Amino acid sequence: MTHLIAVLPGDGIGPEIVEQAQRVLTALDLDLAFETEPVGGAAYAKHGHPLPPTTLELAKRAKAILFGAVGDFQYDSLARELRPEQAILGLRKALGLFANLRPAILYPELANASSLKPEIVSGLDIVIVRELTGDIYFGSPRGVRSAPDGPFAGEREGFDTMRYAETEVRRIARIGFETARKRNRKLCSVDKANVLETSQFWRDIVIDVARDYPDVELSHMYVDNAAMQLVRAPRQFDVIVTGNLFGDILSDEAAMLTGSIGMLPSASLNEAGQGLYEPSHGSAPDIAGQNLANPLATILSASMLLRYSLDLGEAADRIENAVKRVLAEGLRTADIHEPGTTRVGTQEMGDAVLRALKKD
Ligand code: IPM
Ligand code: MG
C-alpha cells in the first residue's frame, strides 16, 4: 500500500531542510508518495492565506505530514489570523493533533554544545508530552473588551480562557503513561495546581488515569519548579506530561539543555495515528537559502514519521543510526560545529546521511 506524505516546506530554512529529509525518505525505498503544498508565509504570498484550502485538504488526505517551519519577518505586521503561525495552529486543530512528543536527547558527541556543565547534562534523554489542541491556546472566550468588573472596570482589557475538558486530559495522560511505559517508567505531570483551577482538575484526572498504570511511577510538579529543575538536575526526568502553554515553554527549555536545538525532532499525533512531523526549531529566516541550516532535526522528524504514523520502526532505526554515524564521523553544521570537527552545509549533511544509510 502506498502511503501519502504531505510535504509542507513553509518559510525560511523550511524548504532546504525538508528537501534533505525527503531525500532520506526516498532513499529507503519504501512505498511512499509525496505531494507538496505551500504553508505559512509562502502560502500567504501565493494564495493570500497561511493555510489555504488546497494545503489543508492535502494534509487531511495524507497519512503523515512532513513540515518544515513557518514565519518570516516580512509577515510580522499582518493581522493575527493571516500570520504564518496560524497555519500550524490551524493544522493542529483541524486534524486533532492533540499529542505532541518532543524528545530532548543529548548526543554524546555534542556534550560541549550545551551551556550547562557536561556532568549535569551528559546522558540526558527526556520526552516532553505536550497537549496541543486545548488550554489557553484555543479556549474561548478570548479577546479585548471593556472590563466588566474589578478595580479596572470600564477600561479596555485583554483576556484568554484556560480550560481543559476531562477527555482532553485523560487522552494526553494516557499518551504520557504509554510513552513512559516504553522507556524508564517515570512520568512527571507538570501543572500549576497551587493557583489554577484548571491545573487542580488536570492533576485529579491524571491521578485517576494512573490507576491503569501501576507499573509507572507518577510524580507531580508545579511548572515554576519544573523550569528550575530542568536546569538544576534535568536527568531526574524521564517523561514529562503537561498542558499546551506550559509544554510550549518547557519544551524550548529542554531543547536548549542539549545545546543543539537543530538536532531535535517532534511529532504531533491524533487519535487515528495521523501525524505532523517537524523540527523543534523555527524557520531561522536570517540564515535561509545559504546552505547553513542543520537538516538533522527534520531528518530525525522523518524517522519519527516512519515510526509513529507508518509503523515502520526498522526503517526509522536506520535513519537514526545513520545520523549517529555521521556525528561519529565528525561532520557538523555551523550550529554544532566545534574545533576538531568538519564543518559542512545543509546539502552536504544530507549527502552524508544518505551515504551512511547505504553502508548499513
Ligand atoms: C511551537 C511554537 C508554536 C506554539 C507557535 C509557532 C504557534 O512555539 O510549536 O512550540 O506556540 O505552539
Ligand atoms: Mg514553542
Side-chain angles (χ1 to χ4, degrees), residues 94-106:
L95 277 70
L97 305 170
F98 71 95
N100 184 213
L101 308 183
R102 297 192 169 181
I105 295 173
L106 189 94

Side-chain angles (χ1 to χ4, degrees), residues 70 85-86 88-89 92 100 102 130 132 137 244 247-248 251-252 278 280:
V70 291
E85 295 78 20
Q86 292 304 313
I88 185 81
L89 295 172
R92 287 172 187 170
N100 184 213
R102 297 192 169 181
R130 168 189 175 193
L132 207 54
Y137 266 59
N244 204 345
D248 178 44
S251 62
D252 264 21
E278 59 176 329
S280 283

Side-chain angles (χ1 to χ4, degrees), residues 18 65 111 123 130 175 195 294 311 319:
V18 163
I65 303 161
R130 168 189 175 193
I175 302 277
V195 179
N294 186 345
D311 210 11
I319 297 183

Side-chain angles (χ1 to χ4, degrees), residues 209-329:
V209 173
R211 293 192 296 167
D212 290 341
Y213 298 91
D215 52 320
V216 176
E217 181 195 320
L218 173 67
S219 61
H220 303 273
M221 203 179 271
Y222 298 139
V223 62
D224 50 347
N225 186 27
M228 185 171 77
Q229 295 301 331
L230 271 173
V231 286
R232 194 187 72 87
R235 279 180 308 192
Q236 70 186 280
F237 298 106
D238 177 23
V239 180
I240 292 176
V241 64
T242 189
N244 204 345
L245 180 63
F246 301 154
D248 178 44
I249 299 163
L250 294 182
S251 62
D252 264 21
E253 189 187 0
M256 207 55 228
L257 293 177
T258 70
S260 42
I261 192 164
M263 296 293 301
L264 300 178
S266 79
S268 306
L269 302 163
N270 68 16
E271 312 245 26
Q274 204 187 8
L276 182 150
Y277 300 83
E278 59 176 329
S280 283
H281 59 73
S283 55
D286 50 320
I287 60 162
Q290 298 170 46
N291 198 37
L292 284 174
N294 186 345
L296 293 179
T298 317
I299 290 172
L300 290 167
S301 299
S303 158
M304 287 185 97
L305 181 157
L306 297 177
R307 193 181 304 285
Y308 290 103
S309 285
L310 306 188
D311 210 11
L312 294 170
E314 244 172 74
D317 289 343
R318 283 189 64 201
I319 297 183
E320 283 169 21
N321 290 335
V323 168
K324 284 184 193 146
R325 188 189 288 234
V326 165
L327 290 177
E329 284 166 2

